[in-house]
Amino acid sequence: ESLPVGLLLALAGGILDSYTYLNRGQVFATAETGNLVLLGIHLAQGELGRVLSCLFPILAFALGVLTTEGLRRRLSSGRVHWRQPILAAECLVILVVSFLPQGDLDALANVLIAFTSAIQIESFRKFAGCGCATTMCTGNLRSGTDALFRSLFGKVPGELRKALHYYGVIVCFIFGAVSGALLLHRFGHYVFLLAPAGLCAVFFLIATRRGVASWRRSFRGVFRKLRG
């Protein structure tokens, strides 16, 4: 739940969104509010085929949440941090998407990305004590601005730090979207692999921090025995 983890995940989230919009039919597969609105519009217009194209990513997102919670319960007692296998699964799904041909399989790609987005959101919900989302920014903008108000007008200690954390996540998300768009235009489809590269960095960051924490606990135990 460290801030660097949140910033890396937001960077990957921005890349995912720019990729689905530019290369997979101009949709935002990582956040489902737009799909819910489009579903309602298509229902009103009687376009049942397009209703299904919106419904499948929504269902995939819900399935991703259920899958993550089920895995968290099964993996929480293991030696490996429960988020690491989930990150590995997310990377695997994104790798599959990167090799799906563009065009006819865009709907499948968007469903898979919606699934991985749910995994990411459900697995990582708090950074440096702040509840954040890393594949959408509306809630982050609200929470960051609320914290800024309490800092400026309520003089509440620590709120400015929270506001900066939220805005930092937003900036990283925008940077991911900008860099993804520029690199996709210049180098093509496989720039999308930068997203799992960021997730791999998070994977090893968690492993390193967990290893350091384990060594610290071991040394503390030794010193306690020596002092006793």
Side-chain angles (χ1 to χ4, degrees), residues 52-114:
L52 293 176
S53 69
C54 297
L55 180 61
F56 288 145
I58 294 169
L59 295 176
F61 189 94
L63 179 62
V65 173
L66 292 173
T67 301
T68 303
E69 282 303 304
L71 289 174
R72 181 180 67 82
R73 293 190 178 188
R74 292 179 65 89
L75 299 173
S76 292
S77 59
R79 293 184 178 181
V80 176
H81 194 289
W82 67 269
R83 290 184 175 96
Q84 288 177 281
I86 290 175
L87 275 173
E90 186 179 357
C91 287
L92 180 61
V93 173
I94 292 175
L95 284 172
V96 170
V97 171
S98 69
F99 289 101
L100 291 177
Q102 291 177 247
D104 293 339
L105 294 179
D106 285 352
L108 175 60
N110 290 328
V111 164
L112 292 174
I113 291 173

Side-chain angles (χ1 to χ4, degrees), residues 7-72:
L7 299 179
L8 282 169
L9 290 173
L11 186 69
I15 293 172
L16 287 174
D17 252 350
S18 64
Y19 171 78
T20 57
Y21 186 82
L22 294 173
N23 286 56
R24 295 294 185 178
Q26 294 188 331
V27 298
F28 298 109
T30 63
E32 299 311 310
T33 303
N35 285 331
L36 289 166
V37 173
L38 290 173
L39 185 147
I41 292 172
H42 296 322
L43 272 176
Q45 296 174 345
E47 300 172 335
L48 297 182
R50 301 189 72 179
V51 166
L52 293 176
S53 69
C54 297
L55 180 61
F56 288 145
I58 294 169
L59 295 176
F61 189 94
L63 179 62
V65 173
L66 292 173
T67 301
T68 303
E69 282 303 304
L71 289 174
R72 181 180 67 82

